[in-house]
Amino acid sequence: MNFPPKMHRRDWLRRIQMLGVIALGSWFSPSLVFAKKEDADEAIKKITGGAMIKDGRVTLVIPPLVENGNLVVLTVSVDSPMTANDYVKVIHVVAEGNPYPNIFAAYLSPRSGAANITTRVRLADSQRVLAIVQMSDGSFWQGSAETFVTLSACTEMV
């Protein structure tokens, strides 16, 4: 009996290749790629500094069903007079299911005229999207919306 058993160079290469495939498979695991609710909560804490967030004044409109998450139309509007004493300073949009929860931040001033923003965003999966607004007095307000992202597929009839 030979100990250790003889292995050919090709057998070693196959084993190393399999280890590489296993390592890559665990590295790109979907559970590691998408953010978790805790990640979004942490991002919101960084934005607000732990301050209380009130519901209301913020309307987030997003389609409830999206066929492709690459270009999702998102509209945020805030009930604000946009005067020198009462205006929206920042609108933050946070997605709970994206790899990075912070989608964008829009900075406004009284000269913006209205606190309405429409843009396209990329959503990785079905999720809840939040709009966190900081007012000029330092208060924070929020609005949210749920969306369901489907994966389109082409099928061929045989």
Side-chain angles (χ1 to χ4, degrees):
M1 178 175 220
N2 289 339
F3 191 78
K6 275 186 121 179
M7 291 190 75
H8 295 289
R9 184 179 70 204
R10 289 184 181 156
D11 294 331
W12 277 105
L13 288 174
R14 278 191 209 111
R15 286 185 180 189
I16 290 172
Q17 182 181 19
M18 287 304 296
L19 284 174
V21 169
I22 291 169
L24 280 176
S26 64
W27 180 262
F28 291 114
S29 171
S31 64
L32 298 174
V33 173
F34 296 120
K36 297 168 187 65
K37 185 171 180 349
E38 296 83 31
D39 296 334
D41 291 342
E42 184 65 31
I44 292 169
K45 239 184 231 181
K46 285 181 182 177
I47 291 168
T48 63
M52 187 180 86
I53 304 172
K54 302 172 191 168
D55 287 323
R57 292 183 76 171
V58 181
T59 305
L60 175 65
V61 178
I62 192 167
L65 180 65
V66 179
E67 186 174 325
N68 184 349
N70 289 331
L71 290 173
V72 180
V73 177
L74 175 136
T75 301
V76 179
S77 57
V78 184
D79 182 23
S80 172
M82 295 301 283
T83 62
N85 297 329
D86 186 9
Y87 64 94
V88 175
K89 286 177 72 175
V90 188
I91 298 174
H92 297 274
V93 175
V94 177
E96 292 180 346
N98 274 12
Y100 297 106
N102 293 341
I103 295 180
F104 74 88
Y107 296 86
L108 305 174
S109 73
R111 298 180 71 179
S112 299
N116 298 322
I117 294 176
T118 300
T119 188
R120 290 185 176 101
V121 296
R122 177 179 242 174
L123 298 178
D125 200 11
S126 301
Q127 59 190 297
R128 184 169 78 128
V129 180
L130 297 122
I132 311 292
V133 174
Q134 182 181 8
M135 302 298 289
S136 59
D137 64 359
S139 64
F140 289 92
W141 296 82
Q142 75 175 355
S144 65
E146 296 271 342
T147 186
F148 185 77
V149 178
T150 63
L151 300 175
S152 59
C154 297
T155 59
E156 184 177 314
M157 299 298 286
V158 180

